[in-house]
Amino acid sequence: MSLQPTLQPAQDPAMNNPNKVALFWLTTAAGAVLFVTFQLFFYVNDFVRAHGATPAITFEPDVLWMFSAFYGSWIVTVLLALIGTRKAQGVALVLGSLLVVLNTLGGISDGLRDGWHVAFSAAFFITLPGVFAIAATWRCIKSKGNGHVDE
């Protein structure tokens, strides 16, 4: 005879936890940062290997702020997921999905230019955790209000 009662799916405290969804989005954001870091290492490595023969990439100060705004918007997705309401989860799903698609497409186009290892890095660091984050968010949105239904 068990002394601890078993929890039903509707009573499981881990189910429908917005922190779990936010952690998925945080992992995807960390993957995007890792991808950009590796991409910079790949570029610097190629630049040094070619003894400076490849053209240097420079950015105008007016355009440079867009990189920080674009990659900084990942934190908005995490914060929206932490709110935990159905509406906030929906906005996190749309914004996060858009960021996953844009980052993946950017990584693939960079991979076509710089080599397959860049495209693979985009798929591994952004797309893979992004798909899990999208699925977790969708599941959380669909299960809210239906705690009595066994999934």
Side-chain angles (χ1 to χ4, degrees):
M1 178 163 66
S2 174
L3 296 177
Q4 294 181 352
T6 58
L7 293 176
Q8 300 299 326
Q11 298 171 334
D12 187 3
M15 180 130 2
N16 300 333
N17 188 352
N19 294 336
K20 182 178 172 184
V21 173
L23 186 60
F24 276 108
W25 285 115
L26 186 61
T27 304
T28 308
V33 171
L34 280 174
F35 167 72
V36 171
T37 303
F38 284 146
Q39 186 180 18
L40 288 174
F41 285 144
F42 294 148
Y43 177 77
V44 169
N45 187 37
D46 291 343
F47 186 77
V48 169
R49 188 179 309 154
H51 301 292
T54 59
I57 297 176
T58 59
F59 298 102
E60 297 292 321
D62 307 355
V63 177
L64 196 56
W65 70 270
M66 293 197 58
F67 286 106
S68 60
F70 180 72
Y71 285 101
S73 61
W74 278 103
I75 198 67
V76 175
T77 305
V78 176
L79 293 173
L80 286 169
L82 277 173
I83 292 173
T85 63
R86 181 175 279 190
K87 187 174 183 178
Q89 294 281 350
V91 174
L93 178 65
V94 170
L95 178 63
S97 298
L98 181 67
L99 287 171
V100 168
V101 168
L102 290 176
N103 277 275
T104 301
L105 290 176
I108 290 172
S109 69
D110 289 342
L112 293 174
R113 181 190 67 218
D114 298 333
W116 67 269
H117 55 282
V118 176
F120 174 78
S121 296
F124 186 75
F125 289 117
I126 299 169
T127 309
L128 182 65
V131 167
F132 281 100
I134 290 167
T137 307
W138 181 256
R139 185 174 181 203
C140 187
I141 289 171
K142 287 299 176 185
S143 67
K144 285 205 183 241
N146 296 329
H148 63 283
V149 178
D150 189 17
E151 293 184 52

